[in-house]
Amino acid sequence: MNPAIGAGGHLPRWVLVRRYGLALVVILLLGLAKFLIAQKVISIVSLTPPERVVASGLLTGPTPDDADLEEFAADLRVEGVVNLAGPNVAEQVTAASLHQAYLYLAVSPGAAPTWAQLLYLARFVHRSTERGGWVYVHDDAGGARAATTAAMLLLLRGQTWATVSAEITPAALRLLGGHQRLALERLRSALDQAGRSPAGNPYAAARLEPW
């Protein structure tokens, strides 16, 4: 024999009201989430693994194909693409069709950007990110050139080396060659001793360039 719940064996009225209220809230929340996703207030991003995100506004990785660039534009608001790998007309054309600013910097494997290149790049990144966009910096395989360039951009932003080395993955830092490590050290020295860096330092003219 089962004991009756409430009058006539039915659930009490307050229990029913509470359940109907919770169900209505769930339905409203699902509807709101669907609307926000449709309006791109909420973005579902499946392409970019966490290790590609260096800092807010900055991504690094390998050479993207057309599908990558399209998804970057649609889901990540990538508004600028920086190519360190080598001239790529097809990539530039695709980026232009997606209204993404495009910059090719000639940086040889094992090398680091010059001060002139860094200054131009920092201003490019600033223009692409000032309204909430992102910039994708790539070499051929998402390797040492991309990691070095990203680290230099963070230093120009005013971040300490401790912060930079925490944001660049240890695996990426291990990829850096001797010339790239030396370039980072010289840039750090120039920024720490603004106007007093030794004349032999190729980054002696460096100054902070927030973006």
Side-chain angles (χ1 to χ4, degrees):
M1 178 178 177
N2 294 324
I5 302 176
H10 297 293
L11 290 172
R13 181 181 178 83
W14 69 269
V15 174
L16 293 173
V17 170
R18 184 178 180 182
R19 288 187 177 180
Y20 288 141
L22 287 173
L24 179 61
V25 169
V26 170
I27 291 170
L28 289 174
L29 288 175
L30 289 173
L32 178 62
K34 183 176 180 181
F35 172 78
L36 291 175
I37 289 170
Q39 298 300 314
K40 296 190 177 179
V41 175
I42 297 175
S43 296
I44 297 177
V45 180
S46 59
L47 178 66
T48 306
E51 59 268 21
R52 280 191 180 175
V53 179
V54 177
S56 179
L58 183 61
L59 303 166
T60 62
T63 299
D65 58 23
D66 288 354
D68 291 333
L69 290 175
E70 289 171 2
E71 193 162 354
F72 285 160
D75 293 340
L76 296 174
R77 284 196 63 198
V78 168
E79 297 184 4
V81 178
V82 179
N83 172 15
L84 308 171
N88 189 328
V89 175
E91 179 181 294
Q92 186 171 1
V93 168
T94 300
S97 72
L98 295 169
H99 307 289
Q100 294 168 325
Y102 190 86
L103 175 63
Y104 166 61
L105 289 181
V107 180
S108 302
T114 64
W115 166 239
Q117 289 176 320
L118 273 179
L119 183 60
Y120 193 86
L121 173 59
R123 291 172 179 174
F124 174 88
V125 172
H126 176 73
R127 290 193 299 272
S128 299
T129 59
E130 62 181 342
R131 295 184 180 178
W134 288 65
V135 171
Y136 184 67
V137 177
H138 77 84
D139 53 22
D140 53 345
R145 281 178 290 176
T148 301
T149 303
M152 287 181 153
L153 281 171
L154 294 179
L155 289 172
L156 290 184
R157 201 180 196 180
Q159 295 185 203
T160 65
W161 177 247
T163 302
V164 172
S165 57
E167 292 184 338
I168 306 291
T169 64
L173 290 175
R174 285 195 293 270
L175 295 174
L176 305 189
H179 180 81
Q180 290 161 333
R181 293 178 186 276
L182 179 59
L184 281 168
E185 185 177 323
R186 286 174 166 171
L187 178 61
R188 288 165 55 196
S189 174
L191 292 172
D192 289 342
Q193 306 175 54
R196 297 178 287 109
S197 187
N201 184 344
Y203 299 96
R207 59 184 183 276
L208 294 180
E209 283 288 333
W211 46 272

